[in-house]
Amino acid sequence: MTQLLQVVDLTKKYGSTKVVDTVSFELEEHTSTALIGPNGSGKTTTLSMLAGLVPQTSGTLQFQSTARQDIQSIIGFLPQYPKFFSWLSALEFTEMAARLSGVETRKAVMEAKKTLEFVGLGDSLSKKTGTFSGGMKQRLGLAQAIVHKPKLILLDEPVSALDPVGRRQVMNLLKEIQQETTILYSTHILNDAEEMTDQLLFLRQGKLVEQGSLDDVRSRYAEPRIIIEFEKEQELQRFTEMAPWHVSANGLTVAIDVLTEGVGMPAIIALLHGQSFLVRKIERQTASLEEIFMKVAVI
Amino acid sequence: MSELATIPWNLIMPLLVLQLILMIVALVDVIRHQRTNGPFIMWIFIIVLGNLIGPIVYFIFGRRQA
Amino acid sequence: MSGFSVLLKKEWRENSRNFKVLWIPIAFIIFGILEPVTNHFLPEIMKSVGNMPEGADFQWPEFKGEDIFSSLLGQYQFIGILIIVLAFMGSISGERKNGTATLLYVRPLSYGHYFLSKWLVTNGVVLGSVWLGILAAWYYIEILFNHVDAWEVFAFIATYSIWIVFVVTVVLALSAWLPTGGAAGLAIFATLIFQIIDSLIGTYWTVSPWKVAIYATYWFQPNADMSDLWMSIIITVLFIIVLIIFGSSMAKRNASKTTV
């Protein structure tokens, strides 16, 4: 794994308000990183600084062997609500985007066409962007962000404005893109983050409060529990009386906190088996990303 | 009224034609576009009744860009 | 250089697809024709409408063709400049406000090229309009009034064009610097209102961009002193260069204000 970008103490102040506060992280090549946090936590500002739109107040962005002024040519950026010149067609816009990002004139039209077909706008090449629906705009936004084959793609809430079908389609596109490039995207939808991420960054009030791989973060915050669902209520009663651990019952299920009780699956199975309990289901449950989010990112 | 007949209409004609073009372009745009600042029926009236200034005012203030 | 031609193309498409390349020339041509036509026919029309008291013989001043150019200039200096300011006040500030600039500014863009592309295309549209308007007026002047020397007309057009380029540059530089409302207000002050101020208190100085338009009409006066004209042109060109540099750097500085 080679490092693509190192961010050190990135800070943005507006007046005396620190919108982004000494944020540090690294991006490895060909990975995807989810920037998670509630609204107003500094996600958009962080992405804008990386995209070269907003100058940072302090801190450094160190791209792998790229001079500062060339950074924008290796970046693709998709804002949350991309705005296009309504009087340009999808192809005209994407071609312009490609050429401004340094794609050769001869290749630009071809690359633009290929990219638009890839995002599913092959039938709308010559349609004016002013007539596009929200989903089409998001695809066009994606097309202009990847048409020049950037090394790093920054996406601000790429799917949150879309309906479930559009979201599914864009997520699939992103997974395809991810194999060839590095993605940093912000989201507040945790299912998306769970689906495509090598690294999680949790922002709260401009501060990076947690980071790591999905497994890392999970194991740090996880409170694994073992859940047993019984066939009958009498069985549940019998179990609570016999079990040497603290259990919390709810309907036909009981939950046992693995860490506090210091118990493992084998011991529980041994008990259930030995006493011939009638069990419908037994599972090990880890904390969902949403629970972690509530703990980490929300005060 | 006989004096008016002495006005050489071939000189005035281009003015009327240009004004008509301006009005038609503005009308076609407002009807096809239908995205105006304010009610678009109002802009049709301004364009048709506003003489030379009507279409110009539409292009400057009525047309919604972006 | 590839980036520059892309931006030029974008500006041209914008101005043709929002009909500015059509309606602005037509407007200037109509004003250009109206001036000689109304001046020629007004006495007759007034007579035929017959609002005059019986026996009153109104003495209309005898206009020469050269005078019509000057009075057309008066029209352009007010309504023409108002059109230029209002049509182009949002050229840069509007793109920032509605967020369309964002997808340009995330690219490795030369803000000099960005400003110059707008400057070239806007000047193309506006100068083309002014030229067509004056040429149309000239055609009518030749028919309805008297022959005017072609060299005088071309010198007049060339000189007036420098003032027009100055106006366009002021509008674009202010649009790069300020939000659209402020840009429009200050541009109207700097081009329309300052003309009046310059003519009132400016009697103490003779060299000023705001006097170039008046000096343009000197070409029609055989014995006019042209030395102030040349100095004013030099000063105006310097202003234009400084404003282009200012506009480019303001476009760059304000890039972070684009709506993301």
Side-chain angles (χ1 to χ4, degrees), chain A residues 228-231 235 272 277-282:
Chain A
I228 311 161
E229 190 180 340
F230 294 94
E231 288 286 350
E235 291 287 289
L272 293 172
F277 280 99
L278 295 171
V279 172
R280 199 179 279 168
K281 198 168 81 185
I282 174 163

Side-chain angles (χ1 to χ4, degrees), chain A residues 80 82 84 131-141 158 161-163:
Chain A
Q80 185 172 3
F84 307 97
T131 66
F132 274 26
S133 68
M136 289 167 87
K137 280 186 179 160
Q138 210 64 18
R139 288 149 182 277
L140 178 57
L162 298 177
D163 61 34

Side-chain angles (χ1 to χ4, degrees), chain A residues 123-138:
Chain A
D123 298 332
S124 312
L125 295 180
S126 52
K127 262 198 200 149
K128 295 281 191 308
T129 66
T131 66
F132 274 26
S133 68
M136 289 167 87
K137 280 186 179 160
Q138 210 64 18

Side-chain angles (χ1 to χ4, degrees), chain A residues 24-135:
Chain A
S24 303
F25 60 89
E26 291 169 14
L27 298 180
E28 305 282 346
E29 273 191 341
H30 301 288
T31 60
S32 62
T33 299
L35 195 57
I36 301 172
N39 291 334
S41 56
K43 301 190 296 282
T44 299
T45 309
T46 303
L47 291 175
S48 299
M49 283 190 278
L50 297 187
L53 280 174
V54 173
Q56 66 261 39
T57 308
S58 60
T60 55
L61 301 168
Q62 186 60 55
F63 277 83
Q64 148 216 321
S65 67
T66 310
R68 183 74 184 96
Q69 63 270 23
D70 297 331
I71 288 173
Q72 286 189 315
S73 56
I74 60 156
I75 281 180
F77 179 57
L78 172 61
Q80 185 172 3
Y81 304 105
K83 297 289 190 327
F84 307 97
F85 300 104
S86 60
W87 34 266
L88 283 180
S89 74
L91 183 59
E92 286 167 346
F93 184 84
T94 314
E95 187 207 344
M96 177 180 81
R99 288 187 63 187
L100 286 177
S101 289
V103 177
E104 275 177 64
T105 313
R106 290 178 295 117
K107 286 189 188 161
V109 181
M110 223 180 62
E111 290 296 330
K113 260 190 202 155
K114 264 201 329 215
T115 312
L116 287 168
E117 271 155 23
F118 170 70
V119 299
L121 289 175
D123 298 332
S124 312
L125 295 180
S126 52
K127 262 198 200 149
K128 295 281 191 308
T129 66
T131 66
F132 274 26
S133 68

